[in-house]
Amino acid sequence: MKSSKKCPHCGQWSSWNHDPADRCEHCQHLLDPDAFARQQAQEERKEEESKRFTVDLIKINPDDSSFTKLWKSIGLGFQLAFAAVVSFILWLIAVLAG
Ligand SMILES: [Zn+2]
C-alpha cells in the first residue's frame, strides 16, 4: 500500500510505505519518528528478553593460575549441577502435573 505523508521536518509531501524507517525524499529525515522510536524500543526489549534466558557460565581463561582454574572449575561444576537439578525438578513437575 503506497501513500504519501507530510514530512514533519521540511513540510514537503513524500511517498510513504507505512514503514517506520521510511525517510523524506527531500531532507532525508524520518517521516514518522514516533513509530521509528517505538520500533527501536520493541527490538531492544526483545533483545533484553533473549539475554535474560541465557545462562552466564564462568569462563576459564588459559592464562589463569592453576589455583584460579581449580576454583573456577569447582564453581562451574556447581553451576552445571544446579542447572541439572533445576531442569530435573522442572521435568518432575511436568511429569507429576501430567
Ligand atoms: Zn523532509
Side-chain angles (χ1 to χ4, degrees):
M1 194 162 62
K2 266 220 165 190
S3 64
S4 53
K5 190 172 169 67
K6 197 174 177 179
C7 171
H9 191 77
C10 67
Q12 301 262 32
W13 289 88
S14 205
S15 67
W16 185 46
N17 303 313
H18 297 268
D19 187 334
D22 277 349
R23 285 172 184 275
C24 172
E25 292 166 357
H26 309 278
C27 69
Q28 301 304 314
H29 276 77
L30 288 167
L31 286 170
D32 198 346
D34 292 342
F36 188 72
R38 270 199 303 276
Q39 200 191 40
Q40 293 287 94
Q42 220 169 28
E43 270 168 25
E44 271 170 35
R45 213 177 310 138
K46 251 188 243 166
E47 217 176 83
E48 264 173 41
E49 273 170 24
S50 64
K51 267 187 213 155
R52 208 178 303 152
F53 289 110
T54 53
V55 183
D56 199 15
L57 289 172
I58 295 172
K59 295 200 173 52
I60 297 171
N61 301 316
D63 53 341
D64 278 342
S65 70
S66 51
F67 182 74
T68 313
K69 268 186 198 164
L70 179 71
W71 279 110
K72 278 190 177 176
S73 33
I74 290 169
L76 194 64
F78 270 115
Q79 274 191 327
L80 292 176
F82 181 74
V85 167
V86 167
S87 49
F88 174 72
I89 289 169
L90 289 176
W91 171 80
L92 203 67
I93 289 168
V95 167
L96 291 177

